[in-house]
């Protein structure tokens, strides 16, 4: 207090404000860390339910000496330390894309530092973005420059990179099916310890009931679900940590020696090939680690690190250590070791908490799936779906109804079809380790190209983590005939959908670019067609950012009239998570002023919220009015598009008042240019939206495969996804759809 007293009143006030700001930041971080238990760590924290059972379900159960049990625990400990702690918490979380995580976020990060992307963002759409101008600070190393040059020149390598990204994303979506089924069924099966006569059909029915309830809760949003589920998972972690400590002191305190990696060598030396096969079960101790990165957009790096290092990691180590101590004295209980290691007096409370915790476990991967699907949709790698943003505070928290119910149906089918956790576990392990290996491969490129580190650092990352993951992957591949085919089938299905949608969308855009019409061509058609201008404003939507779209030329050829103010609007998703509102709109004039024709590019990041049409219309008219108000100041742009920031108070007030009051008092229009007044009068006459309703068809000379992909598969996806007008929220009463066939 004495030090504060020596400052003046202004300094003390500043110090108080700074203290309050720091306190709010810490409080916010701790709240996010608390929520992360209910969203991020459920899958990772419930792995003790089935890891030892899956590991000893194969031929390793023939080797039940203490050395094998100690070796399995040692391998679990070092796997937990190297992959979730070192790889993800320390390294991978640093490679966020402006706060976003996941496979596509890494790809987006690479794309902004080099020309690797095949998800073409037009140069015009990326102009004057602070996210782009801040990239690339620092000089490329010789290795990174050579690698960038090779990848940029080789289209094949860029195609392979995109396919790898899609494969990793598809595997995460596949995890959204396998995680709920594995976790819930493993917990419900624990009842057989106390009710040995329980029929398999009853456990399947109970698991299906829990799954239906889980997916029915998703529409409440990650924010509410996180607060609801977080206490359950915290209690669960404290339970398994406490039971683990009890088992260590009760059964075998010498298990602490198994922290030495020496026992891993013993595990592979004595059982030999059987020890290697057991890796397919041990890998499940890190299921859910990828969710720490994929769910990063819901939280923050610091909050995820605090939760993992402070609570999750120590509790998991104690749980696995305690179960190994119990197993060393009760080798006959290998197939139900987790529930049999629980003391009799607390069995049923722990069982109930375990069942609830498996529901939480499923939440982590469901949230990650929603986030990845939204990114893919924004980057035109997945059909349009309905995205509901469930929180006004946390930007990345979303709910996708179509994906939610699809995941639920697939989960129920897997539970009913497989029925046994060992078969589902074979599928689960393969999906988990494939995603991690894909992340390792892409991360090595990030280290070289984005972080501009040396080739030795990138190689060290790949050799340490990639070799470990390949070892696990090799053990999982031998289980493909015994259930491991399921994630391959799911990833193949989702990757095929993504590739088909990307291919069809690319061909559609190529057709529009090749068949666009210049303004001179459009105006030259006017006298022959008797073209007239009608009062009002028309927003014409198109994917191209230069020239007149072929759908509009088709429209005026058959109906030679359009509105007095014509605005060609292109909505573009740029490979950054979010675009600041002040940088969202690029506006320019097409042709002489008397034509009243404009072009507007509206930029969104792949995590941005698309506002409803009425608010969007107000903002677009305000931006256009601001452009006209200061157009003379933009002459140095030479007719190019320019960023229009926040409208001035004069323009914003006039647009808002004109929307509600037909005539403004004379004084309120002072300071506005005549063109702005005319624009507001045109708006009063009515606003219309023109959008192409296109049918993409393969040309007759195309191959049979191309006809199948474009005409059948892509056509089916377009007919069954959300239409562009619905996705943009355009009112049907103001919509004009122009039908046109694109032969690609």
């Amino acid at each position: 207090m004495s030090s504060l007293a020596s400052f003046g009143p202004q300094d003390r006030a500043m110090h108080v404000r700074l203290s309050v700001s720091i306190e709010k930041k810490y409080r916010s971080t701790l709240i996010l860390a608390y929520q992360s238990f209910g969203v991020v760590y459920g899958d990772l924290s419930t792995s003790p339910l089935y890891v030892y059972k899956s590991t000893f379900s194969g031929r390793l159960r023939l080797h039940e000496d203490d050395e094998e049990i100690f070796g399995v625990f040692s391998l679990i400990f070092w796997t937990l330390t190297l992959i979730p702690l070192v790889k993800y918490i320390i390294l991978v979380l640093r490679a966020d894309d402006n706060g976003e995580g996941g496979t596509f976020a890494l790809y987006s990060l690479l794309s902004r530092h080099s020309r690797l992307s095949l998800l073409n963002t037009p140069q015009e759409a990326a102009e004057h973005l602070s996210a782009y101008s801040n990239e690339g600070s620092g000089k490329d190393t010789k290795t990174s420059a050579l690698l960038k040059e090779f990848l940029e020149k080789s289209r094949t390598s860029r195609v392979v990179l995109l396919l790898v990204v899609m494969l990793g994303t598809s595997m995460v979506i596949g995890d959204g099916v396998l995680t709920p089924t594995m976790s819930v069924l493993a917990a419900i099966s624990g009842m057989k310890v106390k009710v040995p006569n329980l029929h398999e059909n009853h456990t399947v029915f109970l698991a299906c009931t829990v799954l239906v309830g889980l997916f029915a809760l998703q529409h409440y949003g990650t924010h509410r679900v996180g607060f609801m589920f977080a206490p359950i998972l915290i209690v669960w972690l404290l339970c398994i940590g406490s039971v683990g400590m009890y088992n260590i002191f009760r059964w075998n305190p010498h298990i602490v020696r198994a922290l030495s990696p020496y026992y891993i060598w013993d595990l592979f030396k004595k059982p030999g090939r059987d020890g290697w096969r057991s890796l397919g079960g041990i890998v499940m101790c890190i299921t859910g680690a990828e969710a720490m990165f994929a769910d990063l957009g819901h939280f923050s790096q610091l909050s995820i690190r605090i939760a993992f290092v402070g609570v999750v990691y120590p509790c998991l180590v104690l749980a696995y250590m305690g179960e190994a101590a119990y197993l060393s004295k009760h080798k006959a209980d290998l197939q139900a070791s987790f529930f049999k290691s629980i003391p009799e007096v607390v069995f049923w409370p722990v069982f109930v908490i375990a069942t609830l915790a498996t529901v939480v476990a499923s939440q982590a991967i469901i949230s990650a799936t929603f986030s990845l699907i939204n990114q893919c949709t924004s980057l035109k790698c997945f059909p349009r779906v309905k995205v509901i943003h469930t929180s006004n505070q946390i930007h990345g928290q979303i709910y996708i109804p179509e994906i939610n119910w699809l995941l639920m149906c697939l989960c129920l089918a897997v539970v009913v079809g497989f029925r046994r956790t060992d078969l589902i576990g074979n599928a689960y392990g393969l999906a988990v380790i494939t995603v991690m290996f894909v992340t390792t491969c892409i991360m090595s490129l990030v280290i070289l190209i984005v972080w501009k580190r040396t080739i030795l650092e990138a190689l060290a990352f790949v050799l340490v983590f990639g070799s470990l993951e390949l070892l696990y992957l090799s053990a999982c591949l031998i289980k493909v005939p015994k259930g491991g085919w399921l994630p391959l089938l799911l990833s193949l299905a989702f990757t095929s959908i993504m590739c088909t949608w990307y291919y069809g969308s690319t061909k559609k855009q190529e057709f529009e670019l090749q068949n666009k019409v210049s303004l001179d061509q459009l105006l030259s058609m006017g006298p022959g067609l008797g073209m007239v201008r009608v009062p009002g404003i028309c927003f014409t939507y198109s994917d191209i950012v230069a020239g007149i779209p072929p759908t509009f030329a088709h429209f005026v050829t058959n109906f030679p009239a359009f509105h007095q103010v014509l605005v060609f609007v292109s909505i573009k998703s740029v490979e950054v998570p979010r675009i600041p509102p002040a940088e969202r709109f690029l506006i320019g004039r097409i042709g002489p002023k008397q034509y009243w024709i404009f072009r507007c590019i509206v930029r969104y990041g792949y995590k941005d919220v698309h506002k409803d049409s009425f608010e969007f219309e107000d903002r677009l008219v305000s931006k256009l009015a601001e452009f006209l108000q200061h157009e003379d100041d933009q002459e140095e742009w030479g007719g190019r598009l320019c960023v229009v920031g926040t409208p001035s108070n004069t323009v914003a007030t006039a647009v808002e008042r004109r929307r509600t009051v037909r005539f403004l008092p004379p004084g309120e229009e002072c300071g506005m240019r005549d063109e702005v007044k005319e624009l507001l009068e045109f708006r009063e006459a009515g606003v219309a939206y023109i959008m192409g309703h296109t049918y993409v068809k393969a040309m007759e000379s195309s191959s049979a495969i191309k006809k199948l992909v474009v005409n059948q598969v892509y056509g089916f996806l377009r007919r069954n996804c959300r239409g562009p007008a619905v996705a943009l929220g355009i009112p049907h009463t103001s919509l004009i759809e122009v039908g046109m066939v694109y032969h690609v």
Side-chain angles (χ1 to χ4, degrees), residues 14 108-109 118 225 392 451 502 535 547:
M14 184 179 297
S108 170
L109 198 61
L118 291 174
V225 170
N392 292 325
W451 293 354
Y502 167 75

Side-chain angles (χ1 to χ4, degrees), residues 566-639:
L566 179 62
V567 184
F568 292 105
V569 181
S570 297
I571 295 181
K572 292 295 178 183
S573 288
V574 186
E575 290 171 337
V576 293
R578 284 173 287 275
I579 303 292
E583 300 178 8
R584 177 151 294 146
F585 290 83
L586 277 173
I587 296 179
R589 189 189 286 273
I590 302 176
K593 290 186 176 182
Q594 64 268 23
Y595 289 163
W596 282 88
I597 301 177
F598 304 90
R599 181 176 306 284
C600 175
I601 300 176
V602 187
R603 286 117 29 117
Y604 287 96
Y606 55 78
K607 301 290 286 185
D608 273 325
V609 182
H610 291 242
K611 301 295 185 180
D612 63 77
S613 62
F614 296 106
E615 183 178 347
F616 177 78
E617 179 186 309
D618 281 343
R619 294 176 65 198
L620 185 51
V621 172
S622 297
K623 298 286 186 179
L624 192 56
E626 186 69 15
F627 172 80
L628 292 173
Q629 180 77 2
H630 300 284
E631 187 177 13
D632 291 342
D633 301 334
Q634 310 293 344
E635 287 185 358
E636 68 271 14
W637 290 95

Side-chain angles (χ1 to χ4, degrees), residues 172-244:
V172 175
I173 298 171
D175 278 354
V177 177
L178 297 173
T179 298
T181 56
M182 182 68 182
S183 303
V184 173
L185 193 57
I188 298 296
S189 299
M191 292 181 67
K192 291 184 178 180
V193 172
K194 295 298 181 183
V195 191
N197 295 326
L198 185 67
H199 196 276
E200 185 182 69
N201 290 339
H202 295 154
T203 60
V204 169
F205 174 76
L206 289 173
C208 290
T209 303
V210 172
L211 287 171
V212 171
L214 168 67
F215 285 100
L217 284 173
Q218 293 304 312
H219 72 279
Y220 288 108
T222 307
H223 175 73
R224 295 180 180 88
V225 170
F227 262 108
M228 188 190 314
F229 285 171
I232 297 171
L233 198 83
I234 292 173
V235 172
W236 163 254
L237 286 166
L238 294 176
C239 279
I240 62 175
S242 302
V243 170

Side-chain angles (χ1 to χ4, degrees), residues 154-461:
S154 173
R155 181 173 176 82
T156 302
S157 62
R158 291 189 290 151
V159 170
V160 170
L161 178 61
L162 181 58
L163 286 175
V164 168
V165 170
M166 288 182 175
L167 174 65
T169 305
S170 300
M171 280 289 185
V172 175
I173 298 171
D175 278 354
V177 177
L178 297 173
T179 298
T181 56
M182 182 68 182
S183 303
V184 173
L185 193 57
I188 298 296
S189 299
M191 292 181 67
K192 291 184 178 180
V193 172
K194 295 298 181 183
V195 191
N197 295 326
L198 185 67
H199 196 276
E200 185 182 69
N201 290 339
H202 295 154
T203 60
V204 169
F205 174 76
L206 289 173
C208 290
T209 303
V210 172
L211 287 171
V212 171
L214 168 67
F215 285 100
L217 284 173
Q218 293 304 312
H219 72 279
Y220 288 108
T222 307
H223 175 73
R224 295 180 180 88
V225 170
F227 262 108
M228 188 190 314
F229 285 171
I232 297 171
L233 198 83
I234 292 173
V235 172
W236 163 254
L237 286 166
L238 294 176
C239 279
I240 62 175
S242 302
V243 170
M245 289 183 66
Y246 167 82
N247 286 329
I248 292 168
F249 291 107
R250 173 74 175 81
W251 300 113
N252 192 351
H254 298 296
I255 189 66
V256 177
R257 291 184 300 180
L259 294 175
S260 168
Y262 169 78
Y263 287 91
I264 299 176
W265 170 253
D266 272 359
L267 175 65
F268 290 111
K269 184 177 69 173
K270 191 173 179 181
R273 187 179 178 87
D274 294 337
W276 168 69
R277 288 175 180 270
S278 70
L279 293 175
I282 295 174
V283 72
M284 286 192 285
C285 72
I286 52 174
T287 58
E290 183 71 22
M292 291 190 292
F293 186 47
D295 281 333
L296 183 58
H298 297 249
F299 303 100
S300 66
Q301 291 183 28
L302 183 58
S303 63
I304 288 177
R305 284 171 173 151
I306 288 173
F308 183 81
V309 176
V311 180
V312 177
Y313 179 73
C315 287
L316 285 177
V317 171
L318 287 172
Y320 285 117
M321 188 184 295
E323 193 172 345
Y326 175 85
L327 276 175
S328 66
K329 303 300 181 182
H330 302 82
K331 298 181 177 64
D333 294 339
L334 280 171
Q335 292 305 301
S337 58
F338 177 81
F339 285 103
K340 288 195 174 182
S341 69
I342 300 172
E344 185 77 23
V345 67
V346 295
F347 176 85
W348 285 110
V350 174
F351 171 78
V352 172
I353 295 170
T355 305
L356 295 174
T358 58
V359 176
V360 181
S362 307
Q363 182 60 48
I365 199 64
I366 292 171
S367 300
T369 302
F370 289 161
S371 181
L372 286 173
I373 290 289
N374 184 46
Q375 293 179 29
C376 295
T377 303
S378 298
L379 296 173
K380 295 191 175 180
C381 288
F382 200 84
R384 290 178 295 270
V385 291
K386 183 178 183 180
V387 178
I388 299 173
H389 295 261
T390 57
S391 173
N392 292 325
Q393 287 77 34
I394 309 300
H395 196 91
Q397 297 186 354
I398 59 175
Y399 166 66
I400 303 178
E402 296 100 318
I403 300 300
N404 184 65
W405 303 122
L406 175 63
L407 290 178
M408 186 191 77
C409 293
L410 290 173
C411 285
L412 296 178
V414 172
V415 170
V416 174
F418 281 72
R419 292 176 170 262
R420 291 162 45 194
T421 54
D422 56 338
L423 291 177
I424 299 175
N426 292 339
Y428 197 17
L430 181 59
V432 167
I433 201 63
T434 303
V435 173
M436 292 183 177
F437 184 66
V438 167
T439 299
T440 298
C441 294
I442 302 175
M443 188 67 192
S444 63
L445 294 178
V446 171
I447 292 172
L448 280 172
I449 296 175
V450 180
W451 293 354
K452 298 178 174 57
R453 301 297 178 87
T454 64
I455 186 68
L456 291 177
E457 291 173 283
L459 282 176
F461 182 85

